Amino acid sequence: MTTLYASFADRIGAILDDLQASGALPAGLDRRNVAIEPPRDPAHGDLATNAAMVLAKPAGTNPRALAELIVPKLAALPEIASAEVAGPGFINVRLTEQSWRDELAGILASGGDYGRSAAGRGTRVNVEYVSANPTGPMHMGHCRGAVVGDALAALLEFAGYAVTREYYVNDAGAQVQTLARSAHLRYREALGETVEIPEGFYPGDYLIPIGQALAAEFGNAYVGKPESEWLDLFREKTVAAMMDMIRADLALLGIAHDVFASEAAVQKAGKVDAALDRLRGEGLVYEGTLEPPKGELPDDWEPTEMTLFKATAFGDDSDRPVRKSDGGLTYFGTDLAYHAQKAETADMLIDIWGADHAGTVKRIKAAVQALTAGKVAFDVKLVQMVRLLRGGEPVKMSKRSGSFVTLADVVREVGKDVVRFTMLTRKADAQMDFDFAKVVEASKDNPVFYVQYAHARGRSLHRRAAEAGIDLAPAADLSLLDAEELALVKLAAQFPRIVEGAAQAHEPHRIAFYLYDLAAMFHALWNRGNDDPARRFLLSDKPEITRARLALSDAIGQIIRNGLGVMGVTAAEEMQ
RNA sequence: GCGCCCGUAGCUCAGUUGGAUAGAGCACGAGCCUUCUAAGCUUGGGGUCGCAGGUUCGAAUCCUGCCGGGCGCGCCA
C-alpha cells in the first residue's frame, strides 16, 4: 500500500501541476526540496508541507501568497478536514478522523507487510559484515557489527532492495599461517607429544579438537616434516573448521550469510592482477616510492619502490601500496580486487567495519570509485566499540591467556533478542555500554523490556477477552475510538516513513527508537484504565468498544512485530 | 604534524537528512497508586545545541576557523 505521506506528496504534486498549467506558477520548478512531514508540534496539525516556502523564490512570489493559492485546493480534498497557512508559509493540514480510521484498518489489512516499501526499487545492494578473521570463535568485539549489519540488511530488504549478505573470509594472510602452525602444535599434542604454545601463536583451547581431528585423519604423516608439506593443507582444514565454528556462533544470533567470499580465492582466480592491470592502464597504479609520513620520522625510514594505487586522485592523503617492495600483495591490494568482485553483481556496496579501521576508509572508497567509474554507490559504516559491564563494573578480559568474552557466552546468558535489540539502541558510530544487569532489567529504563512488554500486553488482551466471553469475530466499529486513541494511530502511521528514512540513511537504530516511542504511547493509553476503569481496553460488558480497542492494540502489536522482525528480534507473547 | 569520528539538560542519549517554542529516559522537586490492566502514573524545574563567523525565508543540522575529547597515521591485518 502507499503510505499516507507518499499519497499526500502525490496530491500536492498534482496541485502544483494545476497551478503551473493555469499559469499561476512558472513551469520547470525544482520540487526536490518539497517535503511532507508530520509537524513536531501536534497543535500544527497532522501534516505540514514547506512547498510554498521552497517554491516562492524561484516562482517570483512570496511564500504566504503562494500558500494561499494551494490551500483552497487542498481543503477541497475529501480526506482533509482543514488546511491553513501558518508561520512563515507552512501549510498545515488536518485530516478527517475517518482517514485515520482507514489507516488503522489498512495496518490490520496489511499485517506483516505494513511498512514494507518499494522505495529501494530492487536496487542490488551487497552488505558485507562480520568478516571476522577465521582464527577463533566470535567474541563480543564482533557482536555489534554483526547485529548492525544483519539488521541493516533486513531493513533494506523490507524497504525494497535486493540484498546480498556477505562475509569476507581473510584466509590468505600471515594470521591464518600462524593459525595453521598453532593447529599443527595441537596435532602433535593429540599424538602424544607434550607441547608448549610459544608467544605469538593462538593459545586457545578451541584448537585442541582441531588437532585431534587432524591426528585422526592423517596419523603421524606430518610429524617432523617441513612446513612446505603441511602448511597449506593444515591452513585449509583449520580455516574450514573455524568457519564452521563462526557460522554456529552467528546462528545463535540468527545470522546467516548468503555468500562467504574467500580472500585466497580472489587471489587464485587472478582477480587482483586483473584489477591492478586495469587501473595501471588508466595510470592509477604505478611503481613508486611514498613520501615519509608527516610528523615523527621513523628511525629506520628509507624510501623503497613498490606498487602503488593513486588514491590521492580520489581525495586520500597518500597513495597506497597494493604490492610490497618484495612483490607480495598487501591486504589492501586484495581488498581492492575483492570490492571489484562485489561490484560486478551489485549496484550498491555497504561495508560494516569496526571504528578502529577508520583510517582506511578513504583508500577503499577511492578504490571503488576508480574501479566502477563512480557508478556503484559505496558506504562504509563504522561501528564503535562496546564496553562490557556487569552492574556498572567493567568486565575484565585477558587477551594474553586467550580468554575473552565470547559471543556464545553472552547469548547464552541474556538471550539473542536482548543482545540484538540492545546493540541497536545507539547509533552505530556512538560508543555503547552493554551492562549484563541492565539489559535484562524489567523496567521502563530498559527499552528491550518496554517494547516487548507492550506487545505482550496486547497478546494477553486476547487471552483475557476470550476468558471474559467476548466474541471477537464481528468487525470492529472504529468510530468508537476517541481522540487519544486516534493520536496513537497517527504515531503508528509513521512506521512506513521511519522504515524508508532508516533504510535510506543506513541507520537501523531508528527502528528501535521508534518502537520505544510507540510502546510508550501505548502504555500511556493503557494506564488510563488505572484511573478510569471505563477506559480500559477490555470491558466485559461492552463488546463493541472492546473490539474497537482491540483493533487498535492489534495494530500496534503488528507494527511492533514488523519492526522487531526487521531488527531480528522475536516478539514476546508474554513476559515471564 | 596530518586525517577521520565526536561535542545537545547534572548523567546516558534521540533529533524525521535545512523547518515552527530543541526532545526522551535517568537523577532532582511535588502529588498519586499499594494495584495481577503487574514489573508504576501525573506533574514541575532544568539548555549560550563547545566557541566565533558565514550561507538563506529559516541552522543543533551545511561551509570556514578556533577550543576540547577519542581513534588512526610508510609495505601490518
Side-chain angles (χ1 to χ4, degrees):
Chain A
M1 70 182 278
T2 52
T3 75
L4 214 73
Y5 297 93
S7 77
F8 265 88
D10 292 346
R11 300 196 166 232
I12 301 266
I15 289 172
L16 294 173
D17 288 343
D18 281 355
L19 289 171
Q20 289 185 333
S22 69
L25 279 179
L29 286 177
D30 180 2
R31 296 182 190 168
R32 276 175 305 180
N33 291 325
V34 174
I36 319 287
E37 299 178 323
R40 215 194 316 259
D41 184 349
H44 292 142
D46 298 322
L47 297 172
T49 178
N50 59 358
M53 289 186 292
V54 173
L55 300 177
K57 197 170 193 182
T61 177
N62 74 71
R64 292 196 64 104
L66 178 51
E68 295 294 349
L69 292 178
I70 298 173
V71 160
K73 290 176 183 284
L74 269 177
L77 295 170
E79 58 273 68
I80 288 183
S82 72
E84 56 198 29
V85 187
F90 284 102
I91 299 171
N92 289 337
V93 173
R94 207 172 294 276
L95 302 185
T96 60
E97 292 200 340
Q98 187 55 44
S99 11
W100 293 113
R101 290 185 203 111
D102 291 346
E103 183 70 13
L104 172 53
I107 295 170
L108 294 169
S110 304
D113 287 329
Y114 185 72
R116 188 180 292 280
S117 159
R121 298 155 178 262
T123 302
R124 297 170 303 166
V125 49
N126 179 305
V127 185
E128 184 216 319
Y129 58 108
V130 188
S131 300
N133 282 333
T135 54
M138 299 267 302
H139 54 81
M140 275 307 276
H142 303 120
C143 181
R144 192 174 180 188
V147 171
V148 168
D150 201 53
L152 176 57
L155 173 62
L156 290 167
E157 222 158 44
F158 200 58
Y161 295 78
V163 176
T164 300
R165 296 163 168 82
E166 187 151 331
Y167 185 124
Y168 183 42
V169 185
N170 297 130
D171 54 0
Q175 291 185 11
V176 284
Q177 301 220 326
T178 303
L179 178 77
R181 292 186 186 107
S182 306
H184 190 260
L185 285 175
R186 294 299 191 181
Y187 156 78
R188 285 161 49 197
E189 184 181 53
L191 290 169
E193 266 185 66
T194 304
V195 301
E196 230 172 82
I197 313 290
E199 191 73 28
F201 282 57
Y202 291 100
D205 291 344
Y206 56 84
L207 285 177
I208 294 174
I210 310 293
Q212 288 166 346
L214 289 166
E217 185 171 357
F218 301 117
N220 61 2
Y222 297 110
V223 175
K225 296 288 168 60
E227 265 191 17
S228 57
E229 288 185 28
W230 53 262
L231 191 66
D232 284 350
L233 176 66
F234 273 47
R235 194 193 65 221
E236 276 170 37
K237 292 275 180 190
T238 310
V239 166
M242 292 297 102
M243 287 311 298
D244 284 343
M245 193 161 74
I246 287 170
R247 270 187 284 264
D249 285 346
L250 287 170
L252 294 174
L253 273 181
I255 294 174
H257 290 80
D258 304 312
V259 176
F260 288 85
S262 151
E263 181 184 8
V266 170
Q267 294 174 354
K268 217 171 181 177
K271 301 225 173 188
V272 182
D273 287 330
L276 294 184
D277 287 349
R278 188 145 65 82
L279 292 175
R280 198 185 292 271
E282 298 168 35
L284 294 171
V285 163
Y286 64 99
E287 306 303 315
T289 56
L290 285 173
E291 297 286 309
K294 299 286 192 295
E296 285 177 61
L297 193 65
D299 308 338
D300 56 347
W301 170 268
E302 47 187 82
T304 325
E305 180 152 296
M306 56 200 129
T307 309
L308 299 169
F309 165 63
K310 206 172 176 59
T312 48
F314 302 92
D316 201 356
D317 320 294
S318 165
D319 290 345
R320 304 295 177 179
V322 290
R323 281 192 186 281
K324 299 180 258 189
S325 46
D326 67 5
L329 285 165
T330 64
Y331 180 86
F332 173 62
T334 310
D335 204 24
L336 176 150
Y338 169 54
H339 280 76
Q341 171 178 298
K342 286 196 289 186
E344 287 168 12
T345 54
D347 309 306
M348 183 189 293
L349 303 180
I350 301 176
D351 287 2
I352 311 289
W353 290 0
D356 51 334
H357 290 80
T360 59
V361 170
K362 274 190 180 177
R363 74 191 62 166
I364 197 70
K365 282 195 168 175
V368 171
Q369 211 181 325
L371 289 161
T372 68
K375 283 186 190 132
V376 173
F378 180 43
D379 186 22
V380 179
K381 276 215 90 63
L382 296 178
V383 174
Q384 272 289 351
M385 297 300 282
V386 176
R387 218 162 43 125
L388 289 181
L389 304 172
R390 195 176 284 279
E393 293 298 312
V395 174
K396 291 199 174 65
M397 277 176 274
S398 159
K399 266 190 186 161
R400 212 173 48 77
S401 69
S403 80
F404 32 66
V405 179
T406 67
L407 185 144
D409 284 344
V410 176
V411 173
R412 221 167 278 134
E413 181 170 339
V414 303
K416 171 200 82 159
D417 292 329
V418 165
V419 170
R420 290 192 62 127
F421 197 115
T422 304
M423 290 297 158
L424 294 168
T425 54
R426 284 289 118 90
K427 63 182 166 200
D429 56 15
Q431 288 186 49
M432 169 162 87
D433 289 349
F434 184 97
D435 192 314
F436 285 91
K438 285 190 180 163
V439 296
V440 295
E441 198 175 272
S443 78
K444 188 176 180 175
D445 319 348
N446 180 3
V448 187
F449 167 80
Y450 207 56
V451 171
Q452 291 283 25
Y453 184 26
H455 185 264
R457 267 185 163 166
R459 303 307 296 163
S460 88
L461 263 180
H462 279 267
R463 296 190 290 269
R464 289 169 197 270
E467 287 164 16
I470 291 182
D471 182 5
L472 295 179
D477 176 3
L478 300 178
S479 69
L480 295 172
L481 295 175
D482 65 22
E484 282 180 70
E485 287 157 342
L486 289 179
L488 181 54
V489 175
K490 294 177 187 181
L491 182 57
Q494 289 191 40
F495 182 60
R497 54 178 268 121
I498 298 290
V499 168
E500 285 186 7
Q504 200 186 342
H506 302 163
E507 291 188 346
H509 75 278
R510 292 191 190 184
I511 304 295
F513 279 92
Y514 168 77
L515 291 182
Y516 180 81
D517 288 343
L518 187 68
M521 197 163 172
F522 176 72
H523 286 308
L525 205 55
W526 181 280
N527 286 327
R528 297 190 317 176
N530 286 330
D531 301 329
D532 179 1
R535 307 182 88 175
R536 295 181 174 194
F537 277 72
L538 177 57
L539 299 171
S540 20
D541 55 341
K542 294 199 172 112
E544 298 83 7
I545 293 188
T546 300
R547 279 194 286 269
R549 291 181 181 166
L550 243 72
L552 174 61
S553 155
D554 285 348
I556 302 308
Q558 183 67 60
I559 292 174
I560 291 177
R561 277 198 300 285
N562 294 2
L564 289 180
V566 165
M567 295 167 66
V569 175
T570 311
E573 288 298 309
E574 57 187 327
M575 311 306 291
Q576 65 278 60

